[in-house]
Amino acid sequence: MKEEITISKLLGATQLEMAMLLGINASQWSMYESGKRNLPLQAMQQLNAMLQYVVIENNKQSKMPLLSTQQQDKKKAILKALIQENEYQQQLTARKIEKIRKCRTFVAARFQLLDFLNNQTRLKKENPDLLKSMEAKARNKAGKYDESLLMTYEIKQTLLQEEEKRLKSYLDERYLNNSSS
């Protein structure tokens, strides 16, 4: 159900405040807003003056009230904080990607070394437990830093970069351009 816009809401006042401003009682104002009663002439003139002022001010658009400026400053600060947090998350993600790549390089080198060592019959006979231990550690690390983990962080990095573009675009379009006026 669509909420009806009343004169009180249009002017940003409660029904009681409107009644007090117009010098009438609250029930008179309520009945006027519901269309059941007319206002006294003086109250009607005062209401017309208020409405005319608000309509003119709304049409100007160039004059921004103090509250609106404060709200824009708050939005701007929030966007800047979001951009800063995004940059931090990108750095953190980049470090994780680098760590995963280094570990995967280490694991690949270890498996190559194990292949070499397993082909050396003398080392295979002398240190079978060492080779098994090295292989177990390599398999464990390979499982921990697998391709799917790398892909997850790369996707996260891409999303963070897109989010950064949108945040900066939103900040530029909506707030930086308005601050010069």
Side-chain angles (χ1 to χ4, degrees), residues 31-70:
M31 291 177 76
Y32 171 74
E33 271 197 316
S34 64
K36 295 178 184 174
R37 183 174 181 163
N38 290 328
L39 291 177
L41 182 60
Q42 189 175 358
M44 184 60 84
Q45 288 172 338
Q46 181 66 23
L47 177 61
N48 283 336
M50 285 188 247
L51 285 169
Q52 189 174 22
Y53 180 82
V54 169
V55 168
I56 289 170
E57 288 301 308
N58 281 342
N59 289 335
K60 282 184 181 178
Q61 293 294 324
S62 61
K63 193 175 182 182
M64 194 173 293
L66 179 61
L67 183 60
S68 182
T69 302
Q70 290 172 342

Side-chain angles (χ1 to χ4, degrees), residues 7-33:
I7 295 173
S8 300
K9 289 178 184 172
L10 180 67
L11 293 174
T14 66
Q15 284 191 341
L16 181 60
E17 290 168 338
M18 287 303 301
M20 292 173 69
L21 289 168
L22 298 173
I24 59 175
N25 65 46
S27 64
Q28 279 181 300
W29 176 255
S30 178
M31 291 177 76
Y32 171 74
E33 271 197 316

